[in-house]
């Protein structure tokens, strides 16, 4: 590793933070189409200022993808792609922010602002890694590509279309994913996968309008029909009852189980934070870790029907709605499972129920013995002087499967975050020390990866 690259990061990180402030200052809320065009243009401009050739890719009805590329003269046969996003969560509730969400501020060694952690801090860090090489060596150690989308916070609705239309541009040997950092005990953490998702809305219909509840003696209540239908989806042991749901699930490999056993799980802290006494079924230890990384779930995210305001209103509702997310694991195909869900409801007498699909993504996972993963592990030891935590899979979801499935590229999640960034919440922040060390961790990882065959 060229020491001058690491020194450049240390010497210039205050200037790097000015560029991060510049990006956070630009609102980019996809859910409200707030500042999206302007932010895409700013990201492209910052790429060009760094020395990365940038262009805006577009498909009909989508926010643009900012694509960037810089080629290496000394090592043009190896390519690393950075996947990031420029969209952020809505800032509300605004009254809970100590400083305005789009006016980034630095205090107590942290930068605060909407999107500073998720995901603009990592994006700027990656641009600055490129800058550090160009300014110190005049070249980069391998080809770099940037795929920065504008719809990650609303489910990456059009990213698969971008792959269909522009997929040849994204070819690479490895992908650095959009999140990462250090955990509660300051250990660098490398995450190797994400769960998939099938998000649906179920609607049970009754009379054409809400009616007086006195009619409940003769009129069927759609809220009861919905509740009964939901009751059939899982048993009391939390197992999903839809036939074939677990049919395609891929078990953990021996190598993955080895890392799962070593991965910490702060059970007491989690329970205290959530105000609960036990996990489902009393699970703990390895069983709980296996569930987070590899257990399919069925979650009722919301229920709406009839009168829910203050006081009483005696109505029999005309319809009832339930929002449900199914978290999926490696091997499960959301399109297949959607059809199994519909078939199951028909077989149980709920064929009249409307099923609306609001998002689907497959799970993805990179093997821990992949050279890219091992490069990040070695780099973490070098930068932090301690072994990293290797997390087999996040319990959350993202479009990683497009990269592992279509590009056949390994993905690693490393970055500049920490355990208390408050992503998606008021007072989102990153620590300056993590921004600096995370940037150098990335540089070391790239160098290690370039040396592998």
């Amino acid at each position: 590793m060229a020491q001058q690259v690491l020194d450049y990061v240390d010497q210039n990180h205050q200037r790097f933070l000015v560029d991060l402030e510049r990006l956070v200052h630009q609102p980019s809320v996809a859910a409200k189409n707030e500042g999206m065009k302007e932010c895409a243009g700013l990201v492209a401009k910052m790429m060009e200022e760094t020395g990365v050739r940038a262009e805006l890719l577009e498909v009909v009805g989508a926010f643009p993808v900012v694509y960037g590329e810089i080629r290496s003269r000394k090592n043009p046969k190896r390519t690393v792609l950075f996947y990031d996003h420029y969209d952020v969560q809505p800032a509300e509730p605004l009254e809970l922010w100590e400083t305005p969400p789009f006016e980034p501020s630095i205090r107590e060694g942290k930068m605060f602002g909407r999107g500073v952690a998720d995901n603009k801090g990592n994006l700027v860090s990656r641009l600055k890694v490129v800058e550090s090489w160009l300014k110190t060596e005049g070249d980069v150690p391998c080809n770099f590509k940037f795929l920065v989308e504008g719809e990650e916070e609303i489910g990456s609705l059009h990213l698969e279309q971008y792959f269909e239309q522009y997929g040849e541009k994204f070819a690479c040997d490895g992908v650095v994913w959009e999140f990462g950092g250090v955990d509660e005990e300051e250990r660098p953490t490398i995450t190797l996968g994400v769960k998939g998702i099938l998000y649906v809305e179920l609607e049970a219909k009754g009379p054409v309008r809400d009616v007086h509840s006195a009619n409940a003696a003769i009129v069927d209540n759609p809220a009861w029909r919905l509740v009964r239908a939901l009751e059939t989806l899982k048993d009391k042991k939390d197992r999903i009852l839809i036939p074939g749901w677990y049919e395609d699930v891929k078990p953990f490999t021996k190598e993955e189980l080895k890392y799962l056993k070593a991965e910490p799980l702060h059970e007491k802290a989690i329970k205290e934070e959530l105000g609960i006494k036990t996990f489902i079924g009393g699970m703990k230890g390895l069983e709980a870790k296996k569930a987070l990384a590899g257990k399919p779930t069925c979650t009722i995210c919301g229920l709406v029907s009839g009168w829910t305001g203050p006081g009483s209103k005696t109505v029999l509702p005309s319809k009832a709605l339930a929002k449900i997310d199914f978290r999926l694991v490696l091997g499960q195909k959301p399109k297949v499972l959607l059809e199994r869900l519909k078939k199951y409801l028909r077989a149980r007498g709920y064929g009249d129920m409307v099923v609306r699909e609001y998002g689907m993504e497959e799970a993805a996972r990179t093997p821990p013995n992949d050279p890219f993963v091992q490069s990040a592990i070695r780099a973490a030891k070098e930068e932090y002087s301690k072994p990293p935590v290797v997390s087999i899979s996040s319990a959350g979801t993202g479009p990683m499967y497009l990269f592992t499935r279509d590009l056949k590229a390994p993905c690693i999640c490393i970055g500049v975050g920490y355990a208390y960034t408050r992503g998606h919440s008021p007072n989102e922040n990153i620590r300056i020390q993590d921004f600096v060390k995370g940037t150098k961790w990335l540089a070391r990882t790239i160098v290690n990866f370039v040396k592998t065959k």
Side-chain angles (χ1 to χ4, degrees):
M1 179 70 203
Q3 185 61 41
Q4 64 261 34
V5 173
L6 303 181
D7 292 342
Y8 185 90
V9 174
D10 284 327
Q11 295 161 5
N12 290 274
H13 76 270
Q14 292 291 349
R15 184 173 53 79
F16 294 172
L17 292 172
V18 173
D19 268 348
L20 177 54
E21 289 179 328
R22 176 183 171 198
L23 188 56
V24 174
H25 191 269
Q26 171 58 58
S28 50
V29 184
K32 300 193 292 184
N33 193 9
E34 179 184 356
M36 296 301 291
K37 180 180 179 181
E38 294 82 358
C39 194
L42 177 57
V43 171
K45 183 179 181 181
M46 292 175 71
M47 285 185 185
E48 293 284 354
E49 291 171 351
T50 301
V52 176
R53 181 179 59 83
E55 61 179 311
L56 298 182
L57 308 180
E58 298 194 31
V59 300
V60 177
F63 295 123
V65 160
V66 187
Y67 174 74
E69 184 174 347
I70 181 170
R71 296 190 64 80
S72 170
R73 295 191 303 274
K74 60 186 174 184
N75 188 19
K77 294 184 178 181
R78 178 151 289 190
T79 301
V80 170
L81 182 147
F82 300 120
Y83 166 76
D84 292 282
H85 58 92
Y86 61 88
D87 64 316
V88 302
Q89 284 282 314
E92 288 80 1
L94 298 177
E95 66 274 11
L96 296 184
W97 286 82
E98 294 182 22
T99 51
F102 296 110
E103 296 179 18
S105 62
I106 294 178
R107 57 184 186 274
E108 299 176 351
K110 303 172 185 176
M111 182 183 289
F112 292 81
R114 172 54 87 227
V116 68
D118 187 10
N119 163 245
K120 293 178 178 180
N122 281 312
L123 172 55
V124 171
S125 168
R126 291 155 191 187
L127 285 171
K128 296 311 178 183
V129 161
V130 174
E131 177 188 318
S132 299
W133 262 301
L134 291 177
K135 294 295 186 181
T136 59
E137 299 185 4
D139 194 12
V140 286
C142 64
N143 305 324
F144 289 122
K145 295 181 178 181
F146 288 81
L147 192 168
V148 187
E149 70 157 317
E151 298 182 331
E152 194 276 341
E153 298 291 8
I154 56 172
S156 300
L157 301 175
H158 296 88
L159 192 57
E160 190 157 7
Q161 289 177 246
Y162 276 106
F163 267 72
E164 292 169 357
Q165 190 166 331
Y166 301 102
E168 73 284 350
K169 286 181 174 288
F170 309 146
C172 61
D173 300 295
V175 178
V176 179
W177 202 246
E178 51 105 2
F179 67 84
V182 297
D183 69 3
E184 295 86 347
E185 298 182 22
E186 306 295 336
R187 293 170 296 196
T189 300
I190 306 167
T191 303
L192 306 185
V194 293
K195 281 185 172 179
I197 195 170
L198 170 61
Y199 197 106
V200 300
E201 178 183 84
L202 301 186
E203 180 181 358
K205 295 182 177 181
V208 295
R209 57 177 173 79
D210 289 0
V211 299
H212 197 297
S213 65
N215 292 294
I218 58 173
V219 178
D220 193 17
N221 186 329
W224 278 114
R225 277 185 58 73
L226 180 62
V227 168
R228 292 179 185 124
L230 294 174
E231 179 68 17
T232 72
L233 297 180
K234 289 201 308 185
D235 64 18
K236 293 182 179 180
K237 294 183 179 180
D238 206 45
R239 185 171 178 84
I240 298 169
L241 297 174
I242 301 168
W245 202 260
Y246 299 89
E247 188 176 291
D248 302 313
V249 171
K250 291 185 179 180
F252 293 115
T253 66
K254 290 182 179 179
E255 188 76 4
E256 289 170 340
L257 283 173
K258 181 183 79 172
Y259 281 98
L260 265 178
K261 291 176 181 177
E263 184 179 343
L265 179 64
H266 304 282
E267 299 179 40
K268 182 179 179 181
I270 293 172
K271 292 171 186 175
E272 288 178 352
E273 179 185 1
L274 299 180
I276 60 176
K277 294 182 178 180
T278 62
F279 294 143
I280 291 173
M283 70 172 70
K284 57 184 178 180
L286 180 59
E287 184 183 9
K289 290 188 282 187
K290 289 169 71 174
L292 281 170
K295 175 186 174 183
T297 65
C298 171
T299 302
I300 298 173
C301 299
L303 286 167
V304 180
S305 187
W307 174 253
T308 58
S312 65
K313 183 181 182 182
T314 52
V315 296
L316 187 155
S318 64
K319 63 181 180 180
L321 297 172
K323 303 279 190 179
I324 303 173
D325 84 44
F326 296 92
R327 296 287 168 162
L328 312 179
V329 300
L330 208 62
Q332 292 183 300
K333 306 295 182 184
K335 291 181 180 178
V336 172
L337 296 181
L338 177 60
E339 292 309 310
R340 288 177 181 168
L341 169 63
K342 292 178 179 178
K343 181 180 178 181
Y344 177 72
L345 290 172
R346 288 194 299 269
R348 302 286 297 192
Y350 300 105
D352 60 318
M353 199 166 287
V354 179
V355 181
R356 299 184 183 92
E357 178 262 312
Y358 283 116
M360 55 174 69
E361 293 176 329
E362 295 179 24
R365 194 184 303 155
T366 293
N369 57 1
D370 186 274
F372 201 24
V373 178
Q374 293 301 313
S375 297
I377 291 174
R378 291 196 301 275
K381 294 176 181 177
E382 295 161 0
E383 181 59 37
Y384 295 89
S385 300
K386 63 179 70 173
V389 172
V390 178
S391 176
I392 295 302
S393 178
S394 166
T397 297
M400 188 183 288
Y401 73 100
L402 292 170
F403 300 82
T404 58
R405 185 193 70 185
D406 296 359
L407 302 182
K408 303 293 189 291
C411 295
I412 57 171
C413 306
I414 62 175
V416 303
Y418 76 117
Y420 306 106
T421 61
R422 298 186 181 181
H424 292 210
S425 299
N427 303 309
E428 180 178 349
N429 69 93
I430 60 170
R431 298 183 301 190
I432 307 305
Q433 67 185 47
D434 296 320
F435 180 81
V436 176
K437 291 191 75 64
T439 301
K440 293 192 289 183
W441 179 19
L442 175 60
R444 292 179 185 273
T445 297
I446 299 299
V447 169
N448 289 344
F449 185 51
V450 167
K451 293 177 182 178
T452 64
K453 295 182 179 180

